[in-house]
Amino acid sequence: EKEKTDTELSLLKQQVNPHFFFNTLNNLYSLSLKQAPETPDTVLQLSELMRYVIYRAREETVELQEEVKYLKDYLDLQRIRLYQDTDIEFTVNMENPDLEVPPLLFIILVENAFKHGIEPAVGECFLELKLTEVDGEVTFFCRNSVEPAAAAKVRSGGIGLQNLHRRLELLYPDAYSIEVDHQAEEYCVRLSV
């Protein structure tokens, strides 16, 4: 039973969306053609993200501060990709940054915010993220704008959220909560473990 659970957790972690990496490589190509001064730093950031996903994500747990750094690097690279006016805010408050958490636990919510909220946006859009850790309880809040045309797709839920729910059931049985609030033009998720 433990081997089965470990195998399932491993497969769920491997489903983190690779299209982000391909899109970032395309943007790096554009930056290099323009000989943009930020190209070397962007390559380094992408390298760090890939290293984290390939090596650190194989571990059962990582320090919360490592997971936060991964999310910040991801957001920085997404900012380079975006063409529309996007207000991105990430607030972090940790009592114990060394707290051990499963890797890649929060990224699914952030990827969904970009895929269903930010990327299809025609005009201004926003993403608000808050991560708080108090006495070993981690709360991750994600709120993003949603285009009305994409609202039905977001409401139906996809493999990413199913993946997250299954991981949470395996890792934190009876010790997690996830709340979703979907309004006409915004989508909010609050995850506590």
Side-chain angles (χ1 to χ4, degrees), residues 119-148:
E119 290 173 6
V122 177
E124 291 183 14
C125 50
F126 68 87
L127 172 60
E128 176 187 7
L129 302 171
K130 293 180 185 174
L131 186 140
T132 307
E133 182 273 325
V134 178
D135 291 331
E137 182 175 339
V138 180
T139 301
F140 187 73
F141 174 78
C142 179
R143 182 174 77 97
N144 60 277
S145 55
V146 177
E147 288 291 310

Side-chain angles (χ1 to χ4, degrees), residues 5-92:
T5 301
D6 289 346
T7 301
E8 186 175 358
L9 279 170
S10 176
L11 289 171
L12 290 170
K13 280 195 290 191
Q14 291 173 19
Q15 291 179 13
V16 173
N17 196 346
H19 103 281
F20 163 76
F21 290 112
F22 292 119
N23 287 340
T24 303
L25 286 171
N26 286 333
N27 287 345
L28 280 171
Y29 177 72
S30 296
L31 288 174
S32 68
L33 287 177
K34 292 187 268 183
Q35 297 183 348
E38 65 268 22
T39 304
D41 290 337
T42 305
V43 169
L44 187 60
Q45 251 181 333
L46 180 61
S47 172
E48 289 297 318
L49 279 178
M50 293 178 80
R51 183 175 292 111
Y52 188 83
V53 169
I54 292 169
Y55 298 113
R56 295 296 289 148
R58 290 183 181 189
E59 306 294 326
E60 282 187 39
T61 60
V62 295
E63 291 181 355
L64 183 58
Q65 62 190 345
E66 289 180 274
E67 191 74 359
V68 166
K69 182 183 180 325
Y70 173 77
L71 292 172
K72 286 180 177 179
D73 287 346
Y74 179 89
L75 292 172
D76 287 345
L77 287 177
Q78 283 286 18
R79 284 182 181 99
I80 292 168
R81 293 183 53 226
L82 297 173
Y83 298 104
Q84 67 270 55
D85 185 21
T86 307
D87 180 20
I88 299 175
E89 184 180 316
F90 186 20
T91 307
V92 177

